[in-house]
Short mmCIF file of all heavy atoms in Angstrom, two decimals:
data_model
loop_
_atom_site.label_atom_id
_atom_site.label_comp_id
_atom_site.label_asym_id
_atom_site.label_seq_id
_atom_site.Cartn_x
_atom_site.Cartn_y
_atom_site.Cartn_z
N PRO A 464 -4.47 -1.12 3.88
CA PRO A 464 -4.21 0.01 2.96
C PRO A 464 -4.16 1.36 3.66
O PRO A 464 -3.30 2.19 3.35
CB PRO A 464 -5.39 -0.06 1.98
CG PRO A 464 -5.87 -1.46 2.04
CD PRO A 464 -5.65 -1.90 3.46
N ILE A 465 -5.06 1.59 4.61
CA ILE A 465 -5.11 2.89 5.27
C ILE A 465 -3.87 3.11 6.14
O ILE A 465 -3.20 4.15 6.05
CB ILE A 465 -6.39 3.01 6.13
CG1 ILE A 465 -7.63 3.05 5.22
CG2 ILE A 465 -6.33 4.25 7.01
CD1 ILE A 465 -8.94 3.05 5.97
N THR A 466 -3.54 2.11 6.97
CA THR A 466 -2.39 2.29 7.87
C THR A 466 -1.07 2.32 7.11
O THR A 466 -0.16 3.09 7.45
CB THR A 466 -2.36 1.18 8.93
OG1 THR A 466 -2.31 -0.11 8.28
CG2 THR A 466 -3.58 1.24 9.82
N GLU A 467 -0.94 1.50 6.07
CA GLU A 467 0.31 1.50 5.30
C GLU A 467 0.51 2.83 4.58
O GLU A 467 1.64 3.34 4.51
CB GLU A 467 0.31 0.34 4.30
CG GLU A 467 0.51 -1.01 4.94
CD GLU A 467 0.46 -2.16 3.95
OE1 GLU A 467 0.27 -1.89 2.74
OE2 GLU A 467 0.62 -3.32 4.37
N GLU A 468 -0.55 3.39 4.06
CA GLU A 468 -0.41 4.69 3.38
C GLU A 468 -0.10 5.81 4.37
O GLU A 468 0.68 6.71 4.07
CB GLU A 468 -1.67 5.01 2.58
CG GLU A 468 -1.88 4.11 1.37
CD GLU A 468 -0.65 4.06 0.47
OE1 GLU A 468 -0.11 5.13 0.15
OE2 GLU A 468 -0.23 2.95 0.10
N ILE A 469 -0.71 5.76 5.54
CA ILE A 469 -0.42 6.78 6.54
C ILE A 469 1.05 6.72 6.97
O ILE A 469 1.74 7.74 7.05
CB ILE A 469 -1.34 6.62 7.76
CG1 ILE A 469 -2.78 7.02 7.39
CG2 ILE A 469 -0.84 7.45 8.94
CD1 ILE A 469 -3.79 6.78 8.50
N VAL A 470 1.55 5.50 7.22
CA VAL A 470 2.92 5.36 7.72
C VAL A 470 3.94 5.52 6.60
O VAL A 470 4.87 6.34 6.69
CB VAL A 470 3.10 3.99 8.42
CG1 VAL A 470 4.57 3.76 8.77
CG2 VAL A 470 2.23 3.92 9.66
N PHE A 471 3.79 4.72 5.52
CA PHE A 471 4.83 4.65 4.49
C PHE A 471 4.72 5.76 3.44
O PHE A 471 5.66 5.97 2.67
CB PHE A 471 4.80 3.29 3.80
CG PHE A 471 5.24 2.17 4.69
CD1 PHE A 471 4.31 1.38 5.33
CD2 PHE A 471 6.58 1.92 4.92
CE1 PHE A 471 4.70 0.34 6.17
CE2 PHE A 471 7.00 0.90 5.75
CZ PHE A 471 6.06 0.10 6.39
N ARG A 472 3.61 6.44 3.37
CA ARG A 472 3.49 7.54 2.43
C ARG A 472 3.47 8.87 3.20
O ARG A 472 4.40 9.66 3.10
CB ARG A 472 2.21 7.40 1.59
CG ARG A 472 2.46 7.51 0.13
CD ARG A 472 3.33 6.36 -0.37
NE ARG A 472 2.70 5.06 -0.11
CZ ARG A 472 3.35 3.91 -0.12
NH1 ARG A 472 4.64 3.86 -0.34
NH2 ARG A 472 2.71 2.76 0.11
N ALA A 473 2.44 9.08 4.01
CA ALA A 473 2.29 10.39 4.65
C ALA A 473 3.47 10.70 5.58
O ALA A 473 4.12 11.74 5.44
CB ALA A 473 0.97 10.44 5.42
N CYS A 474 3.74 9.80 6.52
CA CYS A 474 4.79 10.07 7.50
C CYS A 474 6.18 10.07 6.86
O CYS A 474 6.99 10.97 7.11
CB CYS A 474 4.72 9.05 8.64
SG CYS A 474 3.22 9.18 9.65
N VAL A 475 6.46 9.06 6.05
CA VAL A 475 7.79 8.95 5.44
C VAL A 475 8.07 10.13 4.51
O VAL A 475 9.13 10.77 4.59
CB VAL A 475 7.93 7.61 4.69
CG1 VAL A 475 9.15 7.62 3.78
CG2 VAL A 475 8.02 6.45 5.67
#
Side-chain angles (χ1 to χ4, degrees):
I465 292 175
T466 58
E467 287 178 0
E468 291 307 312
I469 289 175
V470 172
F471 291 99
R472 231 65 59 198
C474 294
V475 167

